[in-house]
Amino acid sequence: MQTELSRQLGVEQAVFGFTPFPAVAAAISRAGGFGVLGAVRYTAPDDLKRDLDWIEAHVDGRPYGLDVVMPASKVEGVTEADVEAMIPEGHRAFVRDTLARYGVPGLAEGEASGWRITGWMEQVARTQLDVALDYPIRLLANALGSPPADVVARAHEQGVLVAALAGSARHALKHRDAGIDVVVAQGYEAGGHTGEIASMVLTPEVVEAVAPLPVLAAGGIGSGQQVAAALALGAQGVWLGSLWLTTTEAGLRSPALTRKLLAAGSGDTVRSRALTGKPARQLRTAWTEAWDDPAGPGPLPMPLQGLLVAEAVSRIQKHEVEPLLGTPVGQIVGRMNSERSVQEVFDDLTRGFERAVDRVNRIAGRNGG
C-alpha cells in the first residue's frame, strides 16, 4: 500500500491514522502507517509537550504528525466568557431537564468539565503549534479549513507538509489556493464534522479538482478492500479515525462506551449538531434524539452549542449514563465488532488490500502482480 506520498513521508503503508490517543498514534507509526495526534483537547502546552515526548520515546524513529483546529480567520477581542453570555436561558433549562430525566449525577465540587471551546480558539491552536514545531513532526493537519497563511508558511519553513480536510471539491480548491500540500477528502460517512457528499463521489471529484496535489480519502474506510477502492479512485492514501477507537491501545476509560461501539451497526450513527453546533456524525443516542426533536429548542450554532453542553457531556461520560452516552464515530462502526491491537488492524488491512488487488488483476486478465 505504497504511493508517492507515503514514500515522500517515509512510511511503508499509505494509511494515515488520526487519533486523540498518543499510544495509538505511536502504534500506527510503528506498524508502518502515519500516526496523527489530535491536539484539540490540549489546552495546556505542557500537556501536549508531555505526550509528544512520550510519542518520541515510543515511535521508534518513525514519522508522525499533528492535527489542530485552527480557523483561517478570527474575531478579535472575543473571550470565552463573551461567547458563553450569548447562550439563551431556555437552552440551559433544556440541558438541565434532559439530564434530570435520565438521573445524571453532577460533577464533584471544583471538578471542571472536560472538553471546552478553548481547544477550538486560534490562540490555543497557535500555542499547540509552538510546542509541536519543536518536535520532528512531518505533517500538520487542520480540521477547520485552511490554516492562516502565516501558519502554512511557518510549517513549510521547517519542512512540514500541511494538510486540510475538505467536504467538497470547492473546499479543496480553496485549500490548493492557500498553499496546502495534502487535501483530505472527507466523505459523508466519516465520523465527526463532515459534509453531505459520500466518499465514492467525493474522492475522485477532489482528486481531479486539485491535481497534482495528493489527496487522502476519508470516511467509510475500514478494510483493505476499501483502501484499494480509495487508491483506485485516485487517492494517494487513506485517512482513518473511527477505526482506532476500539483498539487496545486506545484504552477507552468507559467500558459502557466500548460495549456500545462494538455492538453498533453501520446504521446506528447520525449526523447531528448536538455536540458542537455543526453537523457531526456520532452514535445515535437519546441525547442526539433530544436535540434533534422538533419539539425541543434545537442546537445552537457553533461555538455556543459546544460551550452549552460541555459540562453535560462530561457528566454523561463520567457516570456512564448509557442511554445518553455517545461519541463521534463514522458509519464504519459496523465493522468495529472486536477489540484488536493496532498491529492486528494493520494486518487485516494489508491482507484485505492484497485480496482486492488480486481480484482486480484476475478480472483484468492479469495473473497477479
Side-chain angles (χ1 to χ4, degrees), residues 245-265:
L245 287 173
T246 52
T247 57
T248 51
E249 289 88 347
L252 287 181
R253 297 179 211 169
S254 170
L257 181 56
T258 299
R259 287 195 301 271
K260 292 187 77 169
L261 287 169
L262 295 176

Side-chain angles (χ1 to χ4, degrees), residues 71-163:
S73 59
K74 63 181 177 180
V75 178
E76 297 285 354
V78 178
T79 67
E80 183 176 339
D82 293 333
V83 177
E84 189 150 6
M86 298 168 63
I87 297 174
E89 178 54 36
H91 281 74
R92 296 186 186 278
F94 180 76
V95 170
R96 290 194 297 269
D97 293 346
T98 304
L99 296 177
R101 191 182 319 133
Y102 288 91
V104 181
L107 298 175
E109 185 175 350
E111 183 178 0
S113 61
W115 182 80
R116 297 288 285 176
I117 186 181
T118 47
W120 297 72
M121 299 177 77
E122 183 188 343
Q123 60 265 37
V124 175
R126 285 185 178 275
T127 64
Q128 294 165 352
L129 185 65
D130 291 340
V131 171
L133 289 179
D134 285 336
Y135 292 81
I137 63 169
R138 297 293 308 280
L139 179 77
L140 175 69
N142 191 42
L144 200 63
S146 303
D150 69 295
V151 171
V152 175
R154 185 177 172 194
H156 286 167
E157 286 171 3
Q158 296 194 212
V160 177
L161 296 182
V162 181

Side-chain angles (χ1 to χ4, degrees), residues 24-266:
V24 175
I28 290 168
S29 291
R30 288 199 308 271
F34 190 95
V36 181
L37 179 67
V40 70
R41 68 190 179 92
Y42 293 97
T43 55
D46 287 346
D47 291 341
L48 178 59
K49 184 178 186 305
R50 176 201 64 216
D51 283 356
L52 288 175
D53 283 340
W54 190 94
I55 289 177
E56 272 290 298
H58 292 84
V59 82
D60 294 346
R62 305 291 184 93
Y64 61 95
L66 192 77
D67 178 279
V68 297
V69 178
M70 182 179 291
S73 59
K74 63 181 177 180
V75 178
E76 297 285 354
V78 178
T79 67
E80 183 176 339
D82 293 333
V83 177
E84 189 150 6
M86 298 168 63
I87 297 174
E89 178 54 36
H91 281 74
R92 296 186 186 278
F94 180 76
V95 170
R96 290 194 297 269
D97 293 346
T98 304
L99 296 177
R101 191 182 319 133
Y102 288 91
V104 181
L107 298 175
E109 185 175 350
E111 183 178 0
S113 61
W115 182 80
R116 297 288 285 176
I117 186 181
T118 47
W120 297 72
M121 299 177 77
E122 183 188 343
Q123 60 265 37
V124 175
R126 285 185 178 275
T127 64
Q128 294 165 352
L129 185 65
D130 291 340
V131 171
L133 289 179
D134 285 336
Y135 292 81
I137 63 169
R138 297 293 308 280
L139 179 77
L140 175 69
N142 191 42
L144 200 63
S146 303
D150 69 295
V151 171
V152 175
R154 185 177 172 194
H156 286 167
E157 286 171 3
Q158 296 194 212
V160 177
L161 296 182
V162 181
L165 276 64
S168 70
R170 178 173 56 86
H171 294 155
L173 287 169
K174 290 183 177 180
H175 295 333
R176 182 201 63 185
D177 295 343
I180 300 303
D181 304 291
V182 181
V183 176
V184 181
Q186 181 170 274
Y188 174 80
E189 309 95 321
H193 294 131
T194 184
E196 299 181 349
I197 306 174
S199 297
M200 183 65 75
V201 175
L202 178 67
T203 301
E205 285 186 350
V206 172
V207 168
E208 182 176 345
V210 303
L213 284 186
V215 172
L216 300 177
I221 301 171
S223 72
Q225 292 90 332
Q226 290 163 324
V227 175
L231 299 189
L233 293 172
Q236 287 202 29
V238 294
W239 177 276
L240 310 182
S242 299
L243 196 62
W244 316 111
L245 287 173
T246 52
T247 57
T248 51
E249 289 88 347
L252 287 181
R253 297 179 211 169
S254 170
L257 181 56
T258 299
R259 287 195 301 271
K260 292 187 77 169
L261 287 169
L262 295 176
S266 56

Side-chain angles (χ1 to χ4, degrees), residues 255-308:
L257 181 56
T258 299
R259 287 195 301 271
K260 292 187 77 169
L261 287 169
L262 295 176
S266 56
D268 292 325
T269 69
V270 63
R271 191 165 164 268
S272 171
R273 294 169 53 216
L275 186 60
T276 67
K278 289 185 66 176
R281 186 168 298 284
Q282 55 203 279
L283 279 180
R284 180 184 286 107
T285 66
W287 180 253
T288 64
E289 290 176 349
W291 281 105
D292 295 337
D293 187 343
L300 295 168
M302 186 182 192
L304 300 181
Q305 182 72 11
L307 268 177
L308 171 66

Side-chain angles (χ1 to χ4, degrees), residues 353-369:
F353 180 82
E354 290 168 358
R355 287 194 299 269
V357 171
D358 287 345
R359 185 183 306 120
V360 172
N361 280 331
R362 289 195 300 272
I363 294 169
R366 302 188 186 101
N367 295 319

